[in-house]
Amino acid sequence: MAAEFVATVFLALLALLHTVCGLKLLMLRVPSQKLRAHDVTLKCMYDLENSTLYSIQWYKDGSMFYRFVPADEPPGQMFPLPGVSVDLQHSSDSQVTLRLLDLESSGTYRCEVSSEAPKFLTEVAEAYMNIMALPKDAPKITGMRLKYNEGDPINLNCTSSPSKPVAVLTWFINGNQIIPTGKDSKDGPFLTQYRPVVDDEGLEYVTLGLRMAAKKKFFNTLLHSMKVKCTASMGQLMWHVKHEARIQSANTASSQIPGPEKCHVWLVSVVTFFIAHKLLDS
């Protein structure tokens, strides 16, 4: 008990000494996510109080890529590291700017602030930054036939464009999201989730299947049509694209789905991008 008390008092005195006359790291600003090919400025704010700055060192996954030493000439130096391209003109003792981020730029970034003698104090903070790559195109719906008879199987696939991380796909029928319920239904719809595939760039794409029968209950009685839509989204990026397909009955004078008559299919791709710039730049 006595030893524990002494150790506690010693640590408390160290903390008090550090608070009164030591170095303080006030803020580390490393965004949790950024887009590929964008630039980013990482900030490390500190208070020397009565100390003198010796160095600022930046690390990614344990490897140093930038150092600022006021006594050196020039004070700022960069060290080659895959995925890290330092812009020396826009880097200083309180920040470091990285240009043209790529997937290798993802990792844990650490700022280490050290003071001169006689105190030789060091403060460290770190945070993880994830680099994301948006898909270049909207998801694609495939498997659509040009005509369907009453009761014909409708077998569609929606495949996302490569991205990082992989996009989340969602199917809609006539504006209603298809959510697996686990209940058996003779006519569907059923969803089939396939495993993501990784391409040569390290990006991922995925396919979500939709299976159903061409039944009257799926067709709008006024428009004599059924609309299917597949959307792709990427979480906090608030990024969203969609591909829509409409199956239109040729017999518009009747509210019934044609039996031996045919249905014609129109496909329309609609791409809308909504990127939360404020979130990405934070």
Side-chain angles (χ1 to χ4, degrees):
M1 292 292 294
E4 292 180 3
F5 176 77
V6 171
T8 302
V9 172
F10 178 72
L11 292 175
L13 289 174
L14 281 180
L16 178 61
L17 178 63
H18 184 272
T19 301
V20 173
C21 58
L23 169 69
K24 291 181 181 178
L25 206 161
L26 304 176
M27 181 193 73
L28 175 67
R29 185 177 182 184
V30 176
S32 59
Q33 56 188 25
K34 290 291 291 184
L35 288 177
R36 182 174 63 167
H38 282 213
D39 298 344
V40 65
T41 297
L42 312 180
K43 293 184 178 291
C44 188
M45 309 303 294
Y46 56 90
D47 185 357
L48 290 171
E49 295 190 344
N50 297 320
S51 303
T52 302
L53 178 65
Y54 171 67
S55 71
I56 304 287
Q57 297 182 113
W58 281 91
Y59 298 81
K60 175 186 174 291
D61 297 330
S63 298
M64 186 192 303
F65 64 86
Y66 177 73
R67 181 177 66 195
F68 185 93
V69 180
D72 289 350
E73 185 58 43
Q77 299 180 55
M78 59 176 289
F79 303 90
L81 191 65
V84 177
S85 179
V86 177
D87 183 348
L88 286 175
Q89 289 188 335
H90 295 90
S91 301
S92 64
D93 64 313
S94 60
Q95 69 178 44
V96 58
T97 296
L98 308 181
R99 299 184 63 255
L100 298 176
L101 299 170
D102 58 35
L103 297 182
E104 283 190 291
S105 303
S106 293
T108 299
Y109 288 81
R110 184 172 86 241
C111 173
E112 185 176 290
V113 185
S114 301
S115 66
E116 279 274 19
K119 296 179 181 179
F120 297 110
L121 300 175
T122 298
E123 281 289 312
V124 177
E126 64 181 30
Y128 187 85
M129 181 171 66
N130 186 38
I131 307 304
M132 310 179 80
L134 289 179
K136 295 181 179 179
D137 302 301
K140 293 182 179 180
I141 295 176
T142 58
M144 186 74 73
R145 289 163 44 186
L146 292 179
K147 43 193 169 183
Y148 289 91
N149 293 324
E150 165 73 12
D152 278 356
I154 299 176
N155 298 314
L156 308 178
N157 282 328
C158 177
T159 302
S160 66
S161 182
S163 64
K164 188 72 174 182
V166 66
V168 176
L169 299 177
T170 306
W171 277 105
F172 295 82
I173 296 179
N174 296 324
N176 299 314
Q177 181 179 346
I178 304 305
I179 300 176
T181 62
K183 298 180 180 180
D184 292 333
S185 174
K186 180 180 178 181
D187 301 321
F190 308 104
L191 297 180
T192 303
Q193 180 69 67
Y194 296 92
R195 293 185 179 222
V197 178
V198 181
D199 66 11
D200 294 338
E201 291 185 72
L203 303 180
E204 299 176 86
Y205 59 92
V206 70
T207 297
L208 182 64
L210 174 64
R211 310 290 181 256
M212 58 187 293
K215 292 292 186 177
K216 173 184 175 181
K217 64 180 181 180
F218 296 121
F219 281 69
N220 184 294
T221 56
L222 295 177
L223 300 177
H224 313 290
S225 66
M226 175 177 66
K227 182 175 70 174
V228 292
K229 177 176 69 175
C230 177
T231 66
S233 59
M234 288 179 65
Q236 295 181 351
L237 280 179
M238 295 180 67
W239 172 89
H240 173 83
V241 293
K242 64 183 179 181
H243 184 179
E244 293 183 351
R246 183 176 293 276
I247 301 175
Q248 182 74 45
S249 172
N251 186 6
T252 57
S254 171
S255 62
Q256 303 293 324
I257 294 180
E261 296 175 326
K262 308 301 181 182
C263 295
H264 299 284
V265 178
W266 285 263
L267 298 182
V268 56
S269 294
V270 183
V271 182
T272 50
F273 290 86
F274 299 101
I275 301 175
H277 294 288
K278 188 173 182 180
L279 173 62
L280 295 176
D281 294 333
S282 62

